[in-house]
Amino acid sequence: MSSNLSRFTLVALFCFAIPVIAVAPPGTCPAPPAILSSTQPNIFSEQQEQWLGDAMADMLERDYRPIQDPAENAYLAGIAKRLLASLPPTSIQFHVVLVDSSEVNGFSLAGGHVYLTRKLVANARSEDEIASVIAHEMGHILSHQFAIETTADLKRLLNITSVTDKADVYAKFQRLVDAQLKDKHPGPGGDTDEKQDQADVVSVYATAAAGYRPQAYSEFWNRMFFVDGKIGGRLSDFFGTTKPEEKRLRAILKLVNALPVGCGATTSSASADFLHWQSLVIANQPAAIDANVKPISEAALTPPLRMDLDRLRFSRDGKYLLAQDESSIFVLSRDPYKLLFRFDAEKALPAEFSPDSQHIVFHTPGLHTEEWSVPEQKMLASHEPIARHECIQTKLAPDGRTLFCISIRDEENGVFLDLTALDPATGEMFYQKKDFFQPTFGFLVQLAINRGALVPVDLMPSSLSADGNTLLIGPADAKLAFDLRTRATIPIGKELRSGIPGPYAFIGDDKIVGVVPSKDFKDSGVFSFPDGKRLQSLPFGLDDLESVSGGNFVLSKSLKDYAIGLADASVGKFVAASKTPSMDVWNQWMINENADGSVLLRKVGDDATPHQAAALPLSPLGPNLRLAVSPDGRLLALSARTRSGVWDLSTGKLLVLAHQFNSAVFAADNSLYAELPKVDKKDRGITRVSFAPVTSTPLPYKEDDNTRLISGMLQEWKPSGKSGVELIVHSVTDNSVLWRRTFDSGEPAHAPNVNPGMLLLSFPFKTSFAKARLKADAALAEHAANIKNKDSGRVIQALDAATGNVLHELVLEVPAAYTGVEGINIVGDQLYLTSDDNRTMVYDMATGSQLRQFFGYLAAANPASGRVCIVNRRDEALVYDAQGQQLVDFRMGSPLRFARFQSEGSSANSVPGSRLTLLTADQKIRTMEVPGQ
């Protein structure tokens, strides 16, 4: 368990309300150790330490998802209350938070913030083990480790020796974050052996005194960190071969053995209450969370924007279908063709029907697995196994009994991939193939790219047989075949193993389509399984292959101009294709996604029979959306990957549904100009949409690779001279040239402002443009001279989008945690800059000096009043005035997707920006009243 602030970042709060539980009889356990009474310098009172922890939590918790089910949280609160009764009195208010994370960890922040991951709870065997982790984190806090460390850093880096109220604590903590980023000699942080040992002492004594079994802590540590009971000794210590986790286990065992006889319980408590609570945590079903807001008006997008389906699949008997997007799985029956039910599946990898077609199983990259009954329409089981090493790719068997994990191992003689098989229910590893595959340099590069992708793909080929009982996995001659019923490997023929270096896919249960890259792909074909005899040659030159649920077909996403295609393997030709990325076939029945998001059912090659369509219910909006708002704030254009729509925000009603757009802007008359990608034979171009009545008109001028529609500006970037570039800005309405500007050193970093009408340019000091400007402008040069780290210096220019005139120019020192140019916005006479560590810095435009900081990113601004909307946690919108005073904190109960201040106040006497419109992932539009004058 750890308390290192730089590694762990979460928070959510709840109150203690648990029945009193009997503890050990008085006198059987010694008093808590004096280690809680530190003599190290600490400028924080317990109240100030609470504020310090609040600031840490506000900065860090945006990246995590607290589990907000009151019943799950209340159980943790009871454990904390029981532990506190055995510890010295304190005014620190402890809040134990359950967090949705795939890490096995417990961690803490100053001021009583304690966090446990769902993965940790799922793998505990008793309440005693949970209590030991909470007590360890309490040890970090009660020994004031965060406050002491912060005291030392404030003195060392900023020469600060005191703090006062909450605002002062926040401001000095924010200054300290900047100083620590620049610190060339940082301290050891919160994970030193001494600090962990202190917390371990508190854990063992507190759990024993509270009536828990103290041995549970060492058992949990041994199991979760795969120590295997090894504790080292003098000889291994001398030669430096004792691992840190082994030394830690040895120290914990020594503490436990030093307790007097009779101190603590002798048996662990795995009560029915604990097991029920743990099952709720593992199931991870979302609780209904009420927003803390009372909107002036509220409407829902009607009909909602359908998120793109990533997967369509028939059951193995053809009676059912599943449709999967980024947060939901929908289950339908084929005859009659209708929706049966939906369940949440956020971050789920591709789901599968079980071999008997009665269940659906899926898992997540964090190795959370679920099994759902189709006839009963409910979840049957969920599990949280742990892999010893990080999995870079996983595969769950359709029966849910086997989870395959491909992990990477870096050795002196090279980098290798290992393949292991786990039982999801027990977490036990029952198969391992070390050195399964030695990746090439290209594979490692693709792996690095894949880890940062919005939609990661499997790099290692694999395929399931149609009956779901056989898995073939691995590239080239590293292929392995498994009988998933017996969990045993299946010998495969040499030609199948080594003769197919490219992608492959099952056809039925006993045939494989395989691609052999060559000049004309003449060696690709159909092979028998498992002996690998060539049955047929197919000139397939495809980069990927995917099996269908049934039939002599395969799927591929290698087609030009199409998201996916269906090929008849008997003739080696494509017979159907779709612009949407999901499709499946079973016994001549085909399903694919329609343009409006419904699911079409039809017979392959039968155009005479009418298609059947099934509409799917609401699914939450994902974060990767493109949008535009009309100048009067009434119309919202919203686009997902394959479709878009325009809604009237006052009513929520859909005005028009269309193909996706790459970018869009509303003109002054509320007509929409949308940049559409190439569709079928229509080239990429701009279309004008009017709404009274609704008409769509493609514009005659075309875009090329150098042209981009960004924040209402049609920008054309053309090479100029040896290394320069010319920016030509066109009117999107008629393509007339508005202005030109040439940059001698290439295209500068640029981004649109949060409010349209301004283009922001950023020039590092080392660029020739910045050097010339600093030489020409004495005031800029004077401000630049005050920036010590020249690598962080920027010349920022704000251009009028209509004329190209320079509206603002200043010198700025960007924080060490800031990269790129995104996140810079100008509001009135202030510049807002959002860094990569969830902080927004506010600068004076006249001097470039920093005025203040917020936690979160700038989502909306009102130039007339200077009010800004900052989004921090997933569902939290905070509004500040131009002086940085917080006016309101809205908790919407659903992740925020869009924010905009209305152009005018709610009345003639109100301040501009007194109304804020918010769109949340549940596809609801709420208009909020912002208090303050």
Side-chain angles (χ1 to χ4, degrees):
M1 309 314 110
S2 174
S3 61
N4 189 331
L5 178 61
S6 65
R7 287 182 57 197
F8 303 110
T9 64
L10 313 138
V11 104
L13 311 179
F14 52 86
C15 301
F16 297 151
I18 293 293
V20 175
I21 303 174
V23 299
T28 57
C29 289
I35 201 166
L36 296 182
S37 302
S38 176
T39 59
Q40 294 177 276
N42 180 7
I43 64 173
F44 293 89
S45 67
E46 289 193 338
Q47 175 60 77
Q48 292 167 333
E49 188 173 343
Q50 194 95 37
W51 293 332
L52 174 65
D54 292 344
M56 292 176 173
D58 282 348
M59 176 181 174
L60 300 173
E61 76 172 24
R62 171 187 161 191
D63 294 330
Y64 290 82
R65 177 185 165 190
I67 295 175
Q68 301 186 42
D69 189 317
E72 296 178 32
N73 289 331
Y75 193 93
L76 286 175
I79 298 174
K81 184 176 181 180
R82 180 173 168 181
L83 290 168
L84 280 172
S86 68
L87 291 165
T90 177
S91 62
I92 293 176
Q93 301 297 307
F94 280 87
H95 306 281
V96 187
V97 183
L98 188 62
V99 180
D100 187 13
S101 171
S102 59
E103 289 185 337
V104 176
N105 218 340
F107 42 95
S108 51
L109 301 177
H113 296 278
V114 176
Y115 312 94
L116 298 187
T117 64
R118 183 170 50 81
K119 197 79 164 181
L120 181 148
V121 171
N123 285 277
R125 292 180 177 173
S126 66
E127 183 178 309
D128 304 68
E129 293 187 347
I130 298 296
S132 69
V133 177
I134 295 175
H136 172 91
E137 300 306 330
M138 284 180 165
H140 284 299
I141 295 166
L142 290 172
S143 56
H144 305 288
Q145 291 179 5
F146 296 100
I148 290 169
E149 182 179 340
T150 303
T151 295
D153 280 352
L154 284 171
K155 172 63 177 174
R156 180 173 64 90
L157 297 174
L158 298 172
N159 199 30
I160 291 174
T161 58
S162 65
V163 292
T164 56
D165 60 8
K166 183 175 182 179
D168 184 57
V169 170
Y170 265 67
K172 287 174 178 174
F173 170 70
Q174 290 167 336
R175 288 179 57 193
L176 180 61
V177 172
D178 284 317
Q180 288 172 332
L181 289 170
K182 300 175 184 177
D183 187 9
K184 296 181 179 180
H185 305 286
D191 263 345
T192 63
D193 291 342
E194 179 184 4
K195 291 176 181 178
Q196 295 298 339
D197 290 345
Q198 289 175 355
D200 286 344
V201 170
V202 175
S203 176
V204 170
Y205 278 79
T207 51
Y212 290 107
R213 181 172 173 265
Q215 291 85 355
Y217 187 38
S218 59
E219 293 166 356
F220 187 68
W221 180 269
N222 178 59
R223 194 173 67 254
M224 291 301 97
F225 293 93
F226 301 98
V227 184
D228 300 326
K230 299 175 183 177
I231 59 174
R234 292 182 179 179
L235 189 61
S236 60
D237 288 352
F238 177 80
F239 286 104
T241 58
T242 309
K243 297 179 180 178
E245 55 268 27
E246 295 172 357
K247 289 184 178 180
R248 182 86 171 271
L249 177 60
R250 184 170 67 200
I252 294 171
L253 289 171
K254 185 177 180 180
L255 287 170
V256 173
N257 293 333
L259 291 172
V261 176
C263 179
T266 57
T267 58
S268 290
S269 56
S271 65
D273 287 345
F274 168 78
L275 296 175
H276 173 70
W277 170 73
Q278 187 182 47
S279 68
L280 293 177
V281 175
I282 297 173
N284 194 31
Q285 296 305 290
I289 306 300
D290 294 329
N292 74 336
V293 298
K294 295 181 179 180
I296 299 170
S297 64
E298 180 176 340
L301 297 185
T302 309
L305 178 67
R306 273 269 359 120
M307 300 307 294
D308 302 294
L309 295 176
D310 298 310
R311 184 169 177 79
L312 286 167
R313 208 70 182 165
F314 283 97
S315 62
R316 302 185 191 281
D317 61 6
K319 293 182 179 180
Y320 302 108
L321 306 85
L322 70 80
Q324 182 176 359
D325 64 20
E326 60 189 87
S327 61
S328 307
I329 291 177
F330 308 90
V331 185
L332 305 94
S333 61
R334 182 177 60 84
D335 188 15
Y337 187 46
K338 65 178 183 178
L339 176 76
L340 298 179
F341 66 106
R342 169 202 171 273
F343 56 89
D344 289 291
E346 188 173 359
K347 300 180 181 178
L349 295 170
E352 291 281 355
F353 278 101
S354 60
D356 64 4
S357 299
Q358 298 301 293
H359 303 151
I360 291 174
V361 298
F362 75 82
H363 72 298
T364 69
L367 307 189
H368 171 78
T369 73
E370 292 186 18
E371 179 181 359
W372 287 73
S373 167
V374 175
E376 298 177 67
Q377 300 185 12
K378 69 176 185 179
M379 186 169 68
L380 300 178
S382 57
H383 305 292
E384 288 283 348
I386 303 172
R388 186 180 288 259
H389 303 289
E390 178 191 2
C391 301
I392 64 170
Q393 185 173 316
T394 53
K395 191 81 172 180
L396 180 63
D399 60 8
R401 296 172 55 244
T402 306
L403 182 61
F404 292 91
C405 166
I406 298 173
S407 57
I408 194 164
R409 181 166 42 85
D410 194 353
E411 301 285 352
E412 291 184 1
N413 60 333
V415 177
F416 296 90
L417 299 184
D418 298 336
L419 176 67
T420 57
L422 307 174
D423 185 316
T426 65
E428 295 180 2
M429 181 181 70
F430 59 85
Y431 175 85
Q432 182 176 38
K433 173 69 174 178
K434 281 200 168 186
D435 303 342
F436 170 54
F437 173 63
Q438 185 169 14
T440 63
F441 176 76
F443 182 96
L444 296 176
V445 170
Q446 286 299 315
L447 175 62
I449 296 172
N450 198 45
R451 284 181 167 177
L454 294 174
V455 184
V457 297
D458 286 350
L459 297 177
M460 189 74 67
S462 66
S463 185
L464 286 163
S465 60
D467 61 11
N469 291 322
T470 305
L471 172 69
L472 184 64
I473 187 170
D477 56 5
K479 293 186 191 73
L480 289 175
F482 290 88
D483 186 324
L484 300 175
R485 295 162 295 187
T486 62
R487 291 173 164 176
T489 57
I490 301 172
I492 56 178
K494 181 179 179 181
E495 189 171 4
L496 181 58
R497 179 190 298 277
S498 305
I500 305 176
Y504 52 82
F506 266 101
I507 301 177
D509 303 327
D510 58 0
K511 291 185 290 185
I512 295 284
V513 174
V515 173
V516 181
S518 60
K519 186 174 182 180
D520 54 5
F521 300 96
K522 59 181 176 56
D523 293 327
S524 301
V526 180
F527 302 82
S528 61
F529 179 86
D531 54 351
K533 294 181 180 178
R534 179 181 294 273
L535 304 177
Q536 177 186 351
S537 293
L538 289 175
F540 269 167
L542 302 172
D543 296 328
D544 69 285
L545 286 174
E546 182 182 347
S547 298
V548 298
S549 293
N552 201 40
F553 301 95
V554 289
L555 297 167
S556 177
K557 296 182 179 180
S558 301
L559 273 72
K560 183 180 180 182
D561 299 332
Y562 290 94
I564 195 167
L566 177 71
D568 186 334
S570 61
V571 295
K573 293 182 178 180
F574 282 93
V575 294
S578 175
K579 296 292 183 181
T580 56
S582 51
M583 181 184 289
D584 194 25
V585 169
W586 178 85
N587 194 24
Q588 295 298 318
W589 285 101
M590 183 173 76
I591 47 175
N592 69 287
E593 185 181 5
N594 197 18
D596 63 1
S598 59
V599 179
L600 296 180
L601 175 68
R602 54 179 171 163
K603 284 289 188 74
V604 179
D606 183 0
D607 295 327
T609 305
H611 300 169
Q612 299 182 64
L616 301 179
L618 173 73
S619 189
L621 290 173
N624 304 311
L625 300 168
R626 297 171 294 280
L627 53 86
V629 183
S630 61
D632 62 5
R634 187 175 67 87
L635 303 180
L636 172 69
L638 197 61
S639 178
R641 286 202 310 265
T642 60
R643 69 185 59 87
S644 67
V646 180
W647 285 262
D648 186 328
L649 289 178
S650 63
T651 64
K653 299 298 183 182
L654 178 70
L655 301 179
V656 62
L657 182 70
H659 289 292
Q660 80 273 25
F661 57 75
N662 296 330
S663 182
V665 61
F666 281 93
D669 63 355
N670 273 7
S671 59
L672 178 71
Y673 291 81
E675 177 200 336
L676 304 180
K678 182 177 181 181
V679 177
D680 296 329
K681 297 182 179 181
K682 292 180 62 176
D683 290 332
R684 172 175 168 237
I686 296 176
T687 293
R688 180 179 184 268
V689 183
S690 301
F691 299 96
V694 175
T695 58
S696 175
T697 307
L699 300 184
Y701 47 88
K702 303 296 182 184
E703 291 186 293
D704 57 31
D705 293 337
N706 298 318
T707 309
R708 311 158 203 168
L709 179 60
I710 301 176
S711 189
M713 296 178 289
L714 192 55
Q715 302 177 14
E716 182 181 6
W717 295 86
K718 296 178 63 176
S720 176
K722 185 176 180 180
S723 57
V725 64
E726 182 183 22
L727 169 60
I728 308 171
V729 176
H730 301 255
S731 168
V732 71
T733 60
D734 60 10
N735 203 32
S736 61
V737 175
L738 299 178
W739 53 274
R740 300 169 180 263
R741 183 170 172 182
T742 301
F743 302 92
D744 294 333
S745 300
E747 183 176 331
H750 57 91
N753 202 47
V754 65
N755 293 112
M758 197 180 297
L759 176 66
L760 301 175
L761 307 177
S762 175
F763 303 90
F765 279 1
K766 63 183 179 181
T767 61
S768 59
F769 180 90
K771 292 177 181 178
R773 290 300 301 139
L774 295 179
K775 185 176 181 180
D777 191 305
L780 290 178
E782 182 181 354
H783 292 153
N786 295 324
I787 297 177
K788 295 181 179 179
N789 183 5
K790 302 304 180 184
D791 290 337
S792 299
R794 302 287 187 274
V795 173
I796 305 294
Q797 284 191 342
L799 307 184
D800 186 318
T803 65
N805 296 333
V806 178
L807 300 175
H808 306 281
E809 187 174 35
L810 74 155
V811 165
L812 194 68
E813 181 179 11
V814 300
Y818 176 78
T819 56
V821 72
E822 298 293 334
I824 295 180
N825 293 285
I826 292 176
V827 183
D829 59 358
Q830 296 177 354
L831 182 145
Y832 289 74
L833 181 149
T834 300
S835 60
D836 299 339
D837 57 358
N838 193 39
R839 292 182 300 143
T840 293
M841 276 61 71
V842 186
Y843 300 87
D844 186 298
M845 289 287 293
T847 65
S849 60
Q850 187 178 133
L851 302 175
R852 55 189 169 273
Q853 296 184 25
F854 302 120
F855 295 118
Y857 66 92
L858 182 69
N862 182 269
S865 64
R867 291 183 171 186
V868 295
C869 174
I870 301 289
V871 174
N872 189 16
R873 297 162 180 87
R874 295 187 354 148
D875 68 336
E876 180 185 40
L878 303 103
V879 180
Y880 296 88
D881 64 17
Q883 290 73 45
Q885 181 69 36
Q886 181 178 314
L887 302 177
V888 69
D889 181 354
F890 295 126
R891 294 294 184 96
M892 307 306 295
S894 179
L896 285 154
R897 296 291 181 247
F898 163 77
R900 178 184 171 90
F901 286 99
Q902 293 190 1
S903 56
E904 297 179 356
S906 57
S907 68
N909 298 322
S910 63
V911 176
S914 61
R915 286 191 173 181
L916 178 69
T917 298
L918 299 170
L919 172 67
T920 46
D922 57 6
Q923 308 216 28
K924 290 183 179 179
I925 310 154
R926 300 176 179 91
T927 298
M928 314 302 302
E929 186 77 36
V930 179
Q933 294 296 321

